[in-house]
Each structure stands twice: as structure tokens, then as C-alpha cells.
Amino acid sequence: MMIISFLNQKGGVGKTTLSVNVAARLAAQGQKVLLVDADKQGSASTWASLREETPFQVVSMARDNLAKDVLKLAADYEATVIDGPPHAEGIARACIIASDFVALPIEPSGLSTWASDLTVRQVGEAQAFKESIKCGFVVSRKIGNTVIGREIRSMASEAGIPLLNAEIEQRVAYAESLTMGKTIFEWSPTGAAAKEITTLTDEIIQHVQ
Ligand code: ADP
Ligand code: MG
């Protein structure tokens, strides 16, 4: 049993995109996967509603006390992915507490503030009493040749959170596939985006083990 959450108090950084596609990748590996939609706006649930079937189970659960119930549900799955809410409060804290790995998508352009964001602090607070929670920043929506420079690496280390090697670029395929109720693997199985998701999923699994 492994619980991975995608969290960042900012909206639009790619939490839902990455949650859906990492869940799809884990399912494609033959794992029994649960996706918990912890966002009241329900983007992941909307994505699921566009389909007749989903390659993983999707449940909607957006409340402050979800940790216990997520852990209970997750016991029946090999992997659980939590798509977090677009703000940092009780629900986000509950997602962190339930997690083995917290992935924090960050847009390279927003580098001025993310290291001090509340979500980062919440992860630190949760780790203070559940030491086993691992975490990592994931560069998301990277534009073309943006160099992930020394500043970003040093900000990550200041925040005490590793920066994963896997990077997710800004690609139309991510937006189109999600809008059409597809996974990136269904949309473009051999495309660059599918490769990025595979690399990201592998790296997260390595961190959890
Ligand atoms: P969040 O869940 O953090 O609010 P979403 O995953 O819903 O973010 O992404 C917000 C918007 O940006 C969506 O329209 C989505 O399709 C688009 N988007 C997210 N990640 C990418 C990406 N890597 N490339 C292109 N568009 C993206
Ligand atoms: Mg979302």
C-alpha cells in the first residue's frame, strides 16, 4: 500500500493533471489504484465522469478529517493517489498526514514565493510527528528551454525538500487529454508527455520504497 498526494495551495500548477496521469501509469503497471479527489471543485471527478470506465477507482472526498477514511480505503489498493485542493488548510493537512509521499508541483516561473508557501510549512509540520512522510518538488509546466537553475535548486534545499529529477513540460497534450477525459497514455502513448509521466512515477516509487 502506497499513498501519493499532489499538493500545492496554488491552483493551476498541475495537481489534477499529474494525479490522473500518475494514477493511470500505476494502473498500467498492473496495480490496483485508487484516486482520491480531495478538491471540492471536483476536476478529477469531472474527468472521470467523461468516461464510461476508468482504469482506476475514483472517489471524491474533500473534508478535514479524510485521513482516517483514506487510509482505510487505501488498504484495499496497491496504490492510492490524492489530488489535493487549491488551498492550504485542513483538507491539505489531512492529505499530507495520509501520505507516504507528497509531491509538490511547482511552476519554475513562480520561484519567488513557493519555498515559503504554506503547503511547504504544512509538510514540515506533518513530518515532525510522522517522520516517514517523504516529499519532493516536481517542476511542472516548464516552458521549453527554461533552465532549472541554481536558484531553484538552492530554494528547494532551503525549504528542506528535494527537487525531483523528473520534469513536466508545458504541453498541449496534457491539457487536451484531460479535457477529453483521456489519460496521456490513451491520448498519445508514445509521446513526450507519456514519457515524462512514466519517469515521474518511477522516481516517486523509488522514493517511497
Ligand atoms: P491544479 O489541479 O493544480 O489546479 P490542473 O492540473 O487542473 O492544475 O491544471 C490547470 C490547467 O493547466 C488545466 O487546464 C490543465 O490542462 C493545464 N495544465 C496542467 N499541467 C499542464 C502541462 N504540463 N502542460 C499544459 N497544460 C497543463
Ligand atoms: Mg486540481
Side-chain angles (χ1 to χ4, degrees), residues 144-179:
N145 293 326
T146 316
V147 178
I148 301 307
R150 215 176 268 165
E151 306 86 37
I152 291 199
R153 301 214 168 261
S154 76
M155 276 205 188
S157 68
E158 266 170 45
I161 293 180
L163 185 62
L164 300 193
N165 295 318
E167 290 174 354
I168 305 295
E169 284 194 27
Q170 176 77 16
R171 296 181 191 279
V172 174
Y174 284 117
E176 283 180 344
S177 56
L178 207 71
T179 308

Side-chain angles (χ1 to χ4, degrees), residues 16 39 43 83:
T16 301
D39 179 359
S43 320
D83 179 16

Side-chain angles (χ1 to χ4, degrees), residues 29-59:
Q29 291 176 332
Q31 303 204 52
K32 191 182 173 197
V33 179
L34 172 68
L35 178 67
V36 176
D37 183 356
D39 179 359
K40 285 188 183 117
Q41 284 171 16
S43 320
S45 305
T46 301
W47 172 86
S49 73
L50 297 171
R51 307 171 56 98
E52 280 181 14
E53 295 184 313
T54 45
F56 41 78
Q57 188 71 41
V58 181
V59 299

Side-chain angles (χ1 to χ4, degrees), residues 32-200:
K32 191 182 173 197
V33 179
L34 172 68
L35 178 67
V36 176
D37 183 356
D39 179 359
K40 285 188 183 117
Q41 284 171 16
S43 320
S45 305
T46 301
W47 172 86
S49 73
L50 297 171
R51 307 171 56 98
E52 280 181 14
E53 295 184 313
T54 45
F56 41 78
Q57 188 71 41
V58 181
V59 299
S60 170
M61 203 188 284
R63 43 183 163 79
D64 289 2
N65 60 349
L66 63 77
K68 219 180 191 174
D69 291 331
V70 166
L71 285 166
K72 215 183 281 172
L73 281 176
D76 286 332
Y77 294 84
E78 286 158 293
T80 295
V81 176
I82 306 176
D83 179 16
H87 35 67
E89 32 71 307
I91 297 174
R93 197 171 294 118
C95 294
I96 296 167
I97 288 296
S99 297
D100 299 302
F101 190 91
V102 179
L104 299 147
I106 47 162
E107 287 183 67
S109 53
L111 86 159
S112 53
T113 58
W114 52 258
S116 58
D117 274 353
L118 196 52
T119 309
V120 170
R121 285 219 299 279
Q122 286 180 321
V123 172
E125 283 162 17
Q127 284 172 323
F129 68 96
K130 184 179 163 188
E131 243 177 88
S132 62
I133 302 171
K134 302 208 170 87
C135 59
F137 286 119
V138 180
V139 170
S140 176
R141 310 194 68 173
K142 181 181 163 187
I143 311 284
N145 293 326
T146 316
V147 178
I148 301 307
R150 215 176 268 165
E151 306 86 37
I152 291 199
R153 301 214 168 261
S154 76
M155 276 205 188
S157 68
E158 266 170 45
I161 293 180
L163 185 62
L164 300 193
N165 295 318
E167 290 174 354
I168 305 295
E169 284 194 27
Q170 176 77 16
R171 296 181 191 279
V172 174
Y174 284 117
E176 283 180 344
S177 56
L178 207 71
T179 308
M180 299 305 287
K182 304 284 186 205
T183 72
I184 200 68
F185 301 98
E186 293 163 335
W187 191 256
S188 178
T190 56
K195 287 199 189 82
E196 287 176 345
I197 295 293
T198 300
T199 304
L200 173 64

